Amino acid sequence: MTETPLDIAHKAMSAAPNDDALRLRFFERLGDAELFLLLESEAEGDAVTPQVFDPGSGSIVLVFDRPERMSAFVGAEVPYVALSGRVIAGLLAEQDLGLGLNMGVAPSSFLLDADGVKWLAQTLGHGPDEVEAQLAEVAPPTGLPDVLISALDTKLATATGLAQLAYLVSSTDTSGARGHLLAFVGAAPGAEPALARAASEALTFSGIEAGAMDVAFFDAGEPITERLARVGLRFDLPQPAPVRRPEAIAPGSDPDHPPKLR
């Protein structure tokens, strides 16, 4: 089977156990990934009942990053629900449950106890502070580590349809304060919180101080976008495929109405 992003991140983390950046990158991939949560019974509405196991270190639930890995573990058809890692972490943190990833069926087999799940949920749930400032100057970005550029590139590659593109620039506001700015152009209506959170997570999981970068949003026709295009590092966000016939929505797949554990 082809290596998954979690396999690759886990391998890198395991090869350098003292490298905090690689450890954080693995947890970022875990939060971003679609995971298949093993259930006790079929979901009813927005309520799901996961199977709970106790390997001797506390109660855990089992998740897999591929359906075939789940089938290999169970050996039969079982009910499950597909959710993002961040949603699952939030649900488990409320129930004081740990998480077992790909247990015994993949190189990324990993156990995270209840305290670790709470840390992950808290880290993923931390959003950026809102500030208002007037831009005075923008310039090419300087002094930012490659790990942050790579993290932004990876994170924004998952933000399909949330904006047209983004520019990373050095910035100076009207008070003279200098910093860096990630400017999103053509954000979809209501997508601003998700984009700001994605930028915040890229900082957090790169081990960079949270104040190292601000986030702003501009319409494509605003004059400042020409300045941003001249000096900024550009990130093109993927756009959605042509609309197909609507499909049934799986339980918990609507981020505005997450499932509830029973």
Side-chain angles (χ1 to χ4, degrees), residues 62-238:
L62 299 183
V63 298
F64 304 85
D65 62 350
R66 292 289 184 270
E68 50 269 33
R69 289 177 168 177
M70 180 177 59
S71 299
F73 177 85
V74 178
E77 290 189 6
V78 291
Y80 67 90
V81 64
L83 301 167
S84 71
R86 64 171 38 83
V87 170
I88 291 175
L91 293 171
L92 299 186
E94 295 174 356
Q95 302 292 325
D96 202 31
L97 291 168
L99 177 150
L101 169 70
N102 292 333
M103 298 300 290
V105 295
S108 52
S109 179
F110 184 78
L111 183 63
L112 190 63
D113 64 17
D115 287 340
V117 169
K118 289 176 183 176
W119 167 83
L120 180 60
Q122 183 179 18
T123 302
L124 290 168
H126 177 71
D129 296 328
E130 293 187 14
V131 298
E132 291 188 6
Q134 296 295 319
L135 276 180
E137 298 178 14
V138 293
T142 58
L144 288 174
D146 290 342
V147 64
L148 176 58
I149 307 302
S150 177
L152 283 171
D153 192 43
T154 301
K155 181 69 71 174
L156 296 182
T158 68
T160 301
L162 296 188
Q164 295 175 12
L165 51 91
Y167 295 107
L168 181 62
V169 297
S170 295
S171 62
T172 305
D173 65 26
T174 51
S175 70
R178 297 178 180 273
H180 286 88
L181 175 73
L182 183 65
F184 289 100
V185 177
E192 291 87 352
L195 290 168
R197 185 173 61 247
S200 178
E201 287 181 7
L203 279 172
T204 298
F205 288 105
S206 299
I208 309 299
E209 184 179 348
M213 185 178 70
D214 295 320
V215 176
F217 301 91
F218 301 101
D219 292 331
E222 292 189 57
I224 193 174
T225 59
E226 296 182 6
R227 294 161 54 196
L228 294 170
R230 285 197 298 269
V231 301
L233 178 62
R234 175 170 171 156
F235 298 88
D236 289 300
L237 277 66

Side-chain angles (χ1 to χ4, degrees), residues 240-251:
V243 176
R244 296 181 298 176
R245 188 176 57 151
E247 299 177 355
I249 299 176

